[in-house]
Amino acid sequence: MAMLGSDPQDMAELISKLATAIDQIQSAMGTLDSKAQSVRWEGPDAKRFKGSQWPQSKQQLNRVVADLNEVKVLVTRQKSEQENASA
């Protein structure tokens, strides 16, 4: 018979990996944002990059972070439900 449910220990590891990935993306984004704002670069390419390209990239990265947070919340809830069902 196939097992239904999940291994809470495996889920805890997944939650930890998701949290680490979120932190790494946010940290990298902060570092890149700081440098993008302070880089000595003038001209139309710089204006386009600083005015639209980089902000669009930040928006996409923020969406990735939000999506990963949603997954983390879902996995955390499922882990809790599995532990309660197994108790």
Side-chain angles (χ1 to χ4, degrees):
M1 173 150 94
M3 177 184 119
L4 293 177
S6 62
D7 179 348
Q9 187 64 32
D10 282 346
M11 294 180 88
E13 186 176 333
L14 175 58
I15 292 163
S16 175
K17 298 282 185 191
L18 286 165
T20 298
I22 291 165
D23 289 344
Q24 288 174 336
I25 292 167
Q26 289 176 322
S27 176
M29 196 167 49
T31 300
L32 292 170
D33 190 40
S34 175
K35 189 59 180 173
Q37 299 305 320
S38 67
V39 67
R40 295 174 73 182
W41 181 17
E42 300 298 326
D45 290 339
K47 276 188 177 175
R48 187 172 39 259
F49 174 79
K50 291 179 182 182
S52 64
Q53 290 172 333
W54 174 240
Q56 287 173 1
S57 295
K58 282 192 325 185
Q59 265 186 331
Q60 291 171 344
L61 288 169
N62 279 323
R63 275 185 252 148
V64 169
V65 167
D67 289 347
L68 289 174
N69 268 316
E70 285 181 29
V71 170
K72 189 177 89 171
V73 166
L74 173 69
V75 173
T76 300
R77 184 172 49 242
Q78 292 293 319
K79 175 183 172 284
S80 178
E81 289 174 8
Q82 181 65 43
E83 289 171 334
N84 289 338
S86 298

